[in-house]
């Protein structure tokens, strides 16, 4: 993450001192808004405004307004409702981020065509005060010369990815939310669905799949530690297919106690980074789901070792880091992030088990500045749906939350079986063409990929 916090605390004067009476026509106000530039290029930039409730009581809504020089226009925004009148921009909260407890913050973002930064600011109708007008730093990345194409493969469209603020941006600086599926534990696949190039192209063209996750089992008998040549060959087949098909691929060290085999993980990721780290397709995921062990003394040191091995050969591809309690405690990771660039953090959910309290952990992590990636989810119980039950309304709440926050995802899992999360039904050909073979939560997953 490269956050260049330029300017400025635009504090609303007087509210804490009872000055709210002067703005009696407006509700109790969020008291500060901070503008920052999170990315910039020759003729544009990505901006962010953080709204903080500095009052001593909760608030239920906020509204930020500012003007831009006429040479600059906002082309896209997220996490707020934007209305525009000439050069005057108004951003109101959306349904999920209007309520702010005392002291709490939320952010919204926008893309600007042009280099002009806000000339003024109000929060809930009261003039922001304090600090000089923002300025734009010298460009650090080349300007986009053409708008991103809408045709071509996902990797042709988006190219090299990077973390921007708390989400992911593509080669043009535009925010991108990748959606796709995870393989089964590769050591337990009933057929080599994930290794099939025809199937991958079919999912790309029929499901709008943009990313596939290669879940390379590590610890069970027959997985990487006991048969590394087989597991590595499966992963490299999936990487090479992804390059041919122009989709992104997550290389997942699918382990629950990876700290016990750190040297093998360091060697594996170091070697693959040397041979594949130059490709825009590859995303590294060094630790699927840690158990309930310490972030600071067990998981974080492991991540730092693997991140160092990857970065020795690949300076830039995104690395997604597993978090405690089967990749749920992203708030714990947020309190002590790993050092490095283009790092994201893993959040997994299963909607019959996990609901708003886990999303609150995600919200807390995002507020603290983390970028999240949901590398597994299911509309099922946390066991993957052994009982066959699906919980679609809660899964829809998760889908909406991921979309609102620009969180990329891969759904669990590409295989035939009776679990809710088995995407395919018996007889599904290994080469794709699965219109009549969708199983369990698959229709919901596919509908939300498109
Ligand atoms: Mg690279």
């Amino acid at each position: 993450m490269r956050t260049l916090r330029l300017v400025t605390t635009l504090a609303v004067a007087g509210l804490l001192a009872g000055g709210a009476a002067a703005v009696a026509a407006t509700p109790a106000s969020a008291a500060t808004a901070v503008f920052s530039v999170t990315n910039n290029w020759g003729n544009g930039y990505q901006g962010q405004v953080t709204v903080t409730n500095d009052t001593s009581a909760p608030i239920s809504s906020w509204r930020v307004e500012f003007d831009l020089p006429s040479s600059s226009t906002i082309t896209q925004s997220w996490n707020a409702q934007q209305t525009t009148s000439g050069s005057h921009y108004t951003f109101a909260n959306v349904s999920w981020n209007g309520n702010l407890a005392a002291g709490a913050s939320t952010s919204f973002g926008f893309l600007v065509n042009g280099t002009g930064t806000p000339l003024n600011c109000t929060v809930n109708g009261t003039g922001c005060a304090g600090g000089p007008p923002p300025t734009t730093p010298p460009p650090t990345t080349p300007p986009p010369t053409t708008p991103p194409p809408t045709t071509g493969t996902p990797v042709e469209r988006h190219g090299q990815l990077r973390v921007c603020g708390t989400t992911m941006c593509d080669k043009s600086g535009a925010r991108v939310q990748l959606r796709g599926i995870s393989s089964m534990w590769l050591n337990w696949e009933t057929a080599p669905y994930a290794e099939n190039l025809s199937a991958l192209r079919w999912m790309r063209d029929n499901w709008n799949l943009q990313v596939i996750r290669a879940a390379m089992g590590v610890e069970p008998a027959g997985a990487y530690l006991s048969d590394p040549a087989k597991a590595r060959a499966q992963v490299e087949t999936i990487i090479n297919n992804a390059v041919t098909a122009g989709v992104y691929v997550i290389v997942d060290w699918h382990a629950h106690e990876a700290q016990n085999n750190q040297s093998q993980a360091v060697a594996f990721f170091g070697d693959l980074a040397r041979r594949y780290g130059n490709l825009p397709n590859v995303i590294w995921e060094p630790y699927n789901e840690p158990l309930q062990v310490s972030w600071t003394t067990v998981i974080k040191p492991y991540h730092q070792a693997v991140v160092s091995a990857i970065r020795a050969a690949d300076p830039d591809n995104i690395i997604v880091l597993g978090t405690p309690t089967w990749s749920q405690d992203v708030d714990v990771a947020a309190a002590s992030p790993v050092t490095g660039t283009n790092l994201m953090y893993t959040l997994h959910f299963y909607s019959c088990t996990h609901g708003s309290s886990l999303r609150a952990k995600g919200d807390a992590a995002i507020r603290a500045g983390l970028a999240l990636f949901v590398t597994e989810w299911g509309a099922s119980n946390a066991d993957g749906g052994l009982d066959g039950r699906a919980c679609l309304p809660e899964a829809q709440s998760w889908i909406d939350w991921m979309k609102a926050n620009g969180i990329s995802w891969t759904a669990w899992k590409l295989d035939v079986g009776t679990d809710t999360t088995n995407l395919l039904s018996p007889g599904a050909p290994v080469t794709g063409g699965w219109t009549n073979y969708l199983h369990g939560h698959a229709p919901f997953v596919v509908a939300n990929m498109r």
Side-chain angles (χ1 to χ4, degrees):
M1 175 173 63
R2 180 181 297 165
T3 299
L4 188 53
R5 173 151 291 182
L6 288 176
V7 193
T8 181
T9 299
L10 305 167
V12 174
L15 288 178
L16 290 175
V23 288
T26 60
S29 178
T32 60
V34 174
F35 169 81
S36 59
V37 173
T38 57
N39 247 304
N40 66 93
W41 46 93
N43 62 345
Y45 67 92
Q46 178 179 337
Q48 177 171 295
V49 171
T50 299
V51 179
T52 301
N53 175 13
D54 278 354
T55 71
S56 57
I59 62 169
S60 59
S61 67
W62 48 263
R63 187 180 75 255
V64 172
E65 300 181 53
F66 56 75
D67 292 284
L68 285 179
S70 58
S71 59
S72 299
T73 54
I74 291 177
T75 58
Q76 186 182 346
S77 63
W78 53 91
N79 293 353
Q81 300 177 64
Q82 177 190 336
T83 52
T84 307
S85 175
S87 294
H88 188 76
Y89 294 88
T90 302
F91 296 89
N93 62 276
V94 290
S95 59
W96 54 269
N97 65 5
N99 290 307
L100 293 178
S105 299
T106 191
S107 297
F108 66 88
F110 49 89
L111 297 180
V112 178
N113 184 20
T115 57
T117 47
L119 300 169
N120 46 48
C121 174
T122 63
V123 180
N124 285 3
T126 300
C128 304
T135 56
T136 302
T140 57
T141 54
T145 51
T146 54
T150 55
T151 59
T153 67
V155 174
E156 284 172 340
R157 291 199 300 274
H158 298 298
Q160 182 75 36
L161 304 171
R162 65 177 183 272
V163 174
C164 53
T166 58
T167 184
M168 184 190 285
C169 285
D170 70 8
K171 63 182 178 182
S172 303
R175 195 169 87 138
V176 58
Q177 184 203 18
L178 300 180
R179 300 181 301 280
I181 55 95
S182 174
S183 76
M184 174 59 163
W185 293 71
L186 292 177
N187 51 298
W188 285 326
E189 272 188 318
T190 63
Y193 292 110
E195 296 96 308
N196 191 279
L197 176 59
S198 296
L200 187 62
R201 284 181 166 135
W202 188 87
M203 289 189 284
R204 179 197 65 190
D205 296 340
N206 292 274
W207 290 357
N208 192 34
L209 173 140
Q210 299 157 302
V211 54
I212 184 170
R213 177 182 189 237
M216 187 190 75
V218 173
E219 291 140 346
Y224 182 80
L225 293 177
S226 58
D227 195 348
K230 177 187 172 192
R232 177 185 292 266
Q234 289 175 299
V235 168
E236 296 198 25
T237 296
I238 296 170
I239 294 174
N240 290 326
N241 287 349
V243 172
T244 302
V247 302
Y248 294 93
V249 55
I250 300 171
V251 177
D252 164 31
W253 186 262
H254 204 75
H256 289 299
E257 295 180 288
Q259 66 275 5
N260 296 341
N261 303 287
Q262 178 176 308
S263 62
Q264 289 92 332
V266 164
F268 174 85
F269 282 101
D271 177 51
L272 263 64
R274 277 187 292 279
R275 291 187 294 120
Y276 296 105
N278 61 318
L279 298 168
N281 307 70
V282 178
I283 297 168
W284 309 108
E285 186 182 11
Y287 196 160
N288 167 46
E289 287 185 351
L291 303 179
Q292 291 175 291
V293 295
S294 167
W295 168 256
T296 52
T297 66
V298 178
I299 304 169
K300 184 179 174 184
Y302 167 91
H303 281 319
Q304 286 177 322
V306 179
V307 166
S308 294
I310 292 172
R311 287 291 178 250
D314 172 15
D316 53 2
N317 283 30
I318 285 173
I319 308 173
V320 188
L321 304 172
T323 55
T325 314
W326 299 275
S327 287
Q328 294 171 50
D329 294 341
V330 288
D331 52 338
V332 173
S336 181
V338 174
T339 301
T341 55
N342 287 330
L343 304 181
M344 305 183 82
Y345 293 79
T346 316
L347 178 65
H348 288 176
F349 73 85
Y350 288 86
S351 68
C352 297
T353 307
H354 306 123
S356 57
S357 64
L358 184 53
R359 285 195 291 280
K361 281 176 170 282
D363 287 330
I366 293 167
R367 279 198 299 273
L370 288 200
L372 305 181
F373 197 131
V374 173
T375 58
E376 272 184 33
W377 65 271
S380 69
N381 272 323
D383 60 12
L386 294 177
D387 61 3
R389 190 163 60 102
C391 299
L392 297 183
E394 190 64 46
Q396 187 62 54
S397 295
W398 279 103
I399 289 285
D400 295 344
W401 181 81
M402 291 189 288
K403 185 174 184 180
N405 288 286
I407 297 174
S408 297
W409 54 257
T410 47
W412 187 249
K413 62 188 180 287
L414 186 66
D415 205 1
V416 169
T418 56
D419 295 2
T420 306
T421 52
N422 280 110
L423 294 167
L424 302 176
S425 56
V430 77
T431 52
W434 299 323
T435 305
N436 297 320
Y437 293 95
L438 298 186
H439 174 269
H441 73 162
F444 180 83
V445 170
V446 170
N448 282 291
M449 257 191 285
R450 286 174 174 152

